[in-house]
């Protein structure tokens, strides 16, 4: 018989088994993923209603899930590298993603010169 066959109503046996199979870094990255991923179905319904476009709805849900996965991947890979000393392809990907995020966050603002509006001409037009 496995440990999964005899579970009490309060689930006390599950927590010991889960703690034995999941590191603290994995648990933290799992929590970050759940905090950032797409919300419950009721909130998704509200997003769909407010956006009033099925394509933008799926874009918003996909964006939330992909961002959550990237954040959890970075936390797990960097955390595993720091705590266990494991360096691999996922760690390289996480470092590159963090560098990309930092670039997007800290890049200088560049004013656009493509939009040329003549305000005087518009004020007197009828």
């Amino acid at each position: 018989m496995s440990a999964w066959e005899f579970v009490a109503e309060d689930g006390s046996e599950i927590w010991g088994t889960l703690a034995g199979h999941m590191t603290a870094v994995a648990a933290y990255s799992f929590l970050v993923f759940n905090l950032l991923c797409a919300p419950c179905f009721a909130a998704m319904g509200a997003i769909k209603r407010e956006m009033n476009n099925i394509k933008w709805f799926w874009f918003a849900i996909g964006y939330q899930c992909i961002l959550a996965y990237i954040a959890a991947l970075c936390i797990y890979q960097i955390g595993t590298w720091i705590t266990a000393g494991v360096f691999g392809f996922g760690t390289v990907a996480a470092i590159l993603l963090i560098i990309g995020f930092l670039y997007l966050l800290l890049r200088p603002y560049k004013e656009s010169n493509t939009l040329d509006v003549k305000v005087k001409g518009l004020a007197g037009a009828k």
Side-chain angles (χ1 to χ4, degrees):
M1 299 274 169
S2 69
W4 298 106
E5 292 180 22
F6 300 107
V7 178
E9 282 188 31
D10 63 352
S12 59
E13 290 86 5
I14 292 177
W15 303 121
T17 306
L18 185 62
H21 288 31
M22 195 174 216
T23 64
V25 174
Y28 187 66
S29 65
F30 178 71
L31 289 173
V32 168
F33 177 81
N34 279 315
L35 286 172
L36 294 175
C37 72
C40 64
F41 286 111
M44 287 170 47
I47 291 171
K48 183 179 177 188
R49 185 182 66 239
E50 292 298 322
M51 290 199 167
N52 202 19
N53 187 334
I54 195 73
K55 289 179 184 177
W56 281 111
F57 164 74
W58 285 114
F59 176 78
I61 299 302
Y63 179 80
Q64 289 173 335
C65 290
I66 290 170
L67 180 68
Y69 184 80
I70 289 172
L73 173 87
C74 290
I75 288 170
Y76 179 76
Q77 293 297 328
I78 300 297
T80 303
W81 181 32
I82 292 170
T83 58
V86 177
F87 189 88
F89 177 74
T91 312
V92 173
I95 291 170
L96 291 174
L97 286 167
I98 290 172
I99 290 171
F101 282 144
L102 288 174
Y103 169 73
L104 291 174
L105 183 66
L106 301 174
R107 67 182 173 180
Y109 176 70
K110 188 190 232 183
E111 183 114 14
S112 176
N113 295 325
T114 58
L115 183 62
D116 189 25
V117 178
K118 296 185 174 81
V119 179
K120 288 185 179 179
L122 292 176
K126 289 190 180 187

